[in-house]
Amino acid sequence: MLGLPRGEVFLVPWFAEWVKEFDMEKKRIVEVIGQYIVNVHHIGSTAVNGLSAKPIIDIAIEINHFLDGEQCVTALQGLGYSYRGINVLPERHYFSKGEPRTHQIHMYQTGNRYLLEQINFRDYLRSNELARSEYQQLKLNLANVNKNDKHKYAEGKTEFVKSILDKGSL
């Protein structure tokens, strides 16, 4: 299952097909903008086996030079992505696909701290069952009380994410 209608927040149980969907989408992306790509990462909760998630595939694309992101817009639009610019989220080019939204791309310059945090947080949850379980419960609670407010839902996760990233082992 993929697709989150605009303005809604809900979670679905982790679905193994999300990994296959990421792999297929990664292949399509590499085919059209591969010359700019350093790496493509599956990030967010759909990348963590067993973690409930909003049904959107989050993709992080590493590029050598931030301005190269502008060279990728037309090709990604050809894959159905809408370019949302660089002012939606900090230090990244942001793209979304579908209505309801099924995929989103966060395009970062290699070494960007937000990219590293995304990867480190994902990897920590993948390897730490207790943290994954705590995060799962927090997300379920937040989704329940913020069904129509994605910003409050996201804000409610911030302290937990920061506490993991601050552990220093990341």
Side-chain angles (χ1 to χ4, degrees):
M1 171 181 189
L2 277 182
L4 185 70
R6 187 180 305 273
E8 291 185 33
V9 175
F10 62 84
L11 304 178
V12 296
W14 189 81
F15 189 53
E17 291 295 315
W18 288 339
V19 176
K20 293 176 188 169
E21 179 62 34
F22 165 77
D23 289 338
M24 290 187 307
E25 195 70 7
K26 175 181 175 178
K27 184 178 181 202
R28 288 190 281 268
I29 290 167
V30 169
E31 284 174 1
V32 298
I33 62 166
Q35 70 269 31
Y36 299 104
I37 294 175
V38 174
N39 207 339
V40 180
H41 306 275
H42 189 184
I43 59 171
S45 295
T46 62
V48 180
N49 189 338
L51 185 61
S52 293
K54 294 182 294 182
I56 302 170
I57 304 296
D58 280 296
I59 301 166
I61 299 177
E62 276 185 77
I63 53 177
N64 275 317
H65 307 287
F66 188 73
L67 293 179
D68 285 347
E70 296 170 7
Q71 305 304 314
C72 301
V73 172
T74 301
L76 291 173
Q77 286 173 332
L79 295 179
Y81 285 91
S82 297
Y83 183 54
R84 305 296 184 190
I86 59 172
N87 298 318
V88 175
L89 295 164
E91 298 179 33
R92 73 196 82 179
H93 296 273
Y94 176 70
F95 300 81
S96 64
K97 181 177 185 177
E99 189 53 54
R101 189 169 24 131
T102 58
H103 300 75
Q104 47 195 17
I105 293 173
H106 308 264
M107 186 178 285
Y108 303 93
Q109 183 169 314
T110 295
N112 178 284
R113 72 180 178 106
Y114 295 108
L115 170 65
L116 298 174
E117 287 175 354
Q118 287 275 358
I119 293 168
N120 289 338
F121 185 69
R122 176 204 65 196
D123 290 350
Y124 188 84
L125 292 179
R126 283 177 170 175
S127 64
N128 188 306
E129 189 174 333
L130 178 59
R132 185 172 56 249
S133 176
E134 289 173 358
Y135 191 53
Q136 165 100 347
Q137 195 55 55
L138 173 64
K139 288 172 41 125
L140 291 169
N141 292 341
L142 288 168
N144 192 43
V145 298
N146 297 295
K147 293 179 192 304
N148 299 309
D149 193 334
K150 69 180 183 179
H151 298 293
K152 278 192 175 180
Y153 169 79
E155 286 170 17
K157 299 186 302 181
T158 302
E159 196 60 41
F160 181 87
V161 172
K162 187 176 180 331
S163 74
I164 297 298
L165 294 172
D166 286 347
K167 288 185 183 290
S169 61
L170 303 180

